[in-house]
Amino acid sequence: MDDNFKKISQSQQNIKKVFEDLNLSDRLKFTYPESLTNYQISDQFNATVNRMREIQQRLAEQKEREKQEELEYRKAVLSALQGIEKNTAFLSEVTLLLQKNIENQDELFQLLVEIMEIMKSKTNEEAESKYRKIMRKIGEFTADIGTIQTLYGIGQAVFNAFQSLHN
C-alpha cells in the first residue's frame, strides 16, 4: 500500500505541476497603457458627458429661438392682415363718401388727399400741424353729420397710423 500511496501522491504532484505551468493569470493580466490612469479616464468621461450636456442645451435653446421666431412671424402676419382689413374698410368708407356726396365730390376728394398727406410728413410736428389744419377744414365742410364724422374718423386713423410708424 505504501507504493500505491506514493504513486498516487506522485501523480498528484505531477498534476499539480502541470496546472501550475498552465497558470497564465500573471501573463493575462490587463494593464492600462502608461499614458492613461484611472483619473484620466474619469476626466475624459466627465468631459464627454459635459460636452453632451452642452450640445443638448444648445439644441434646446435653438428650438426655443425657432419657436419664438415662429410666434413673432405669426404675430407679424396677423398684424399685416389686420392692416389690410382696416385699409379695405377705409377704402369702402371713402367710396361710400364719394358716392353719397356727388355735389361735393371735388371738395371731399381734396380733403381726403390732404388727410393722406399726413403720411408724407417728416416729423411728428409736421404731421400734427397738417392734422390740425385738416380737422379745421372738416369742421367747415358743408355736408351731413355722418360724412363729417367719417372724415374725422379717417383723419384720426391716418394721424394715429403715422404716429405708430414714427415712434
Side-chain angles (χ1 to χ4, degrees):
M1 223 162 138
D2 275 332
D3 277 343
N4 282 338
F5 183 72
K6 283 183 181 178
K7 284 184 184 177
I8 292 174
S9 180
Q10 184 68 29
S11 295
Q12 286 176 341
Q13 285 180 355
N14 287 339
I15 291 172
K16 186 177 177 184
K17 173 102 171 98
V18 168
F19 278 108
E20 283 175 359
D21 288 343
L22 286 177
N23 186 359
L24 303 175
S25 64
D26 289 337
R27 286 179 261 159
L28 293 177
K29 281 186 180 172
F30 178 77
T31 57
Y32 290 107
E34 289 180 22
S35 63
L36 293 176
T37 65
N38 286 341
Y39 295 114
Q40 288 173 324
I41 292 172
S42 177
D43 289 345
Q44 288 176 349
F45 178 77
N46 288 336
T48 302
V49 168
N50 289 337
R51 180 75 177 135
M52 290 173 68
R53 284 184 184 142
E54 184 180 310
I55 291 170
Q56 187 178 21
Q57 183 177 357
R58 285 184 185 171
L59 288 172
E61 289 170 357
Q62 176 66 26
K63 187 176 180 179
E64 184 61 32
R65 269 194 306 274
E66 288 172 358
K67 187 178 177 181
Q68 187 64 31
E69 287 172 1
E70 175 70 20
L71 182 63
E72 288 173 13
Y73 172 77
R74 287 177 183 228
K75 285 180 181 179
V77 168
L78 181 59
S79 177
L81 290 174
Q82 288 171 339
I84 291 169
E85 181 183 23
K86 286 178 184 177
N87 289 341
T88 55
F90 170 76
L91 290 174
S92 64
E93 283 183 47
V94 169
T95 303
L96 285 172
L97 279 179
L98 290 171
Q99 287 175 350
K100 234 170 78 174
N101 295 290
I102 294 174
E103 65 279 348
N104 297 334
Q105 264 186 352
D106 290 337
E107 191 179 354
L108 184 60
F109 184 75
Q110 185 58 39
L111 280 171
L112 290 169
V113 169
E114 287 182 42
I115 289 172
M116 291 299 149
E117 291 283 326
I118 293 172
M119 293 304 283
K120 291 172 55 177
S121 301
K122 303 284 185 221
T123 64
N124 276 337
E125 291 79 20
E126 182 184 351
E128 191 171 337
S129 173
K130 287 180 182 180
Y131 173 71
R132 291 181 190 281
K133 181 180 169 188
I134 291 165
M135 290 297 124
R136 278 192 298 274
K137 284 186 178 182
I138 292 171
E140 296 167 0
F141 187 60
T142 55
D144 63 276
I145 293 178
T147 300
I148 293 172
Q149 286 176 334
T150 302
L151 285 171
Y152 277 128
I154 292 170
Q156 183 68 44
V158 170
F159 182 66
N160 289 342
F162 173 84
Q163 286 186 323
S164 69
L165 291 172
H166 291 88
N167 286 334

